[in-house]
Amino acid sequence: MDPYAVLGVPRDATPAEIAAAYRRLVRELHPDAADPDPDRLAEVLAAYRALRERPVPPAPPHPPRPVRRRPSPGEPDIRAGPVRWERW
């Protein structure tokens, strides 16, 4: 059983596309729907479970955060940036 074929999505589908196809098929095949198909619903559930449990590629690393230096002894603790003036 090819889970991609069961859900009707391409092999390079994103997780959002897979979830959308799954929800659409469950609405169509649900026992409360106009034309329920319990066998096909079981296939869709198994296919989605198989695709959901596949390993997710790791996210790219975050860029390094800038290091804040401590103020030197004569420097004030609070530094302010440019001030925005508004007309009253």
Side-chain angles (χ1 to χ4, degrees):
M1 170 184 83
D2 180 21
Y4 294 99
V6 171
L7 293 176
V9 294
R11 288 201 172 274
D12 60 346
T14 64
E17 293 170 338
I18 292 171
Y22 165 74
R23 286 192 301 268
R24 180 183 50 81
L25 287 170
V26 168
R27 274 194 304 268
E28 291 174 8
L29 303 171
H30 193 271
D32 293 339
D35 189 22
D37 187 356
D39 298 330
R40 175 91 168 104
L41 179 61
E43 286 180 5
V44 169
L45 294 174
Y48 183 66
R49 187 177 308 115
L51 290 178
R52 217 176 92 199
E53 292 173 355
R54 69 181 171 173
V56 177
H62 293 287
R65 295 179 126 185
V67 178
R68 295 185 182 194
R69 65 175 183 81
R70 294 183 184 213
S72 47
E75 192 176 354
D77 289 339
I78 300 175
R79 285 176 271 150
V83 177
R84 180 176 166 195
W85 294 92
E86 295 185 15
R87 296 182 131 178
W88 290 90

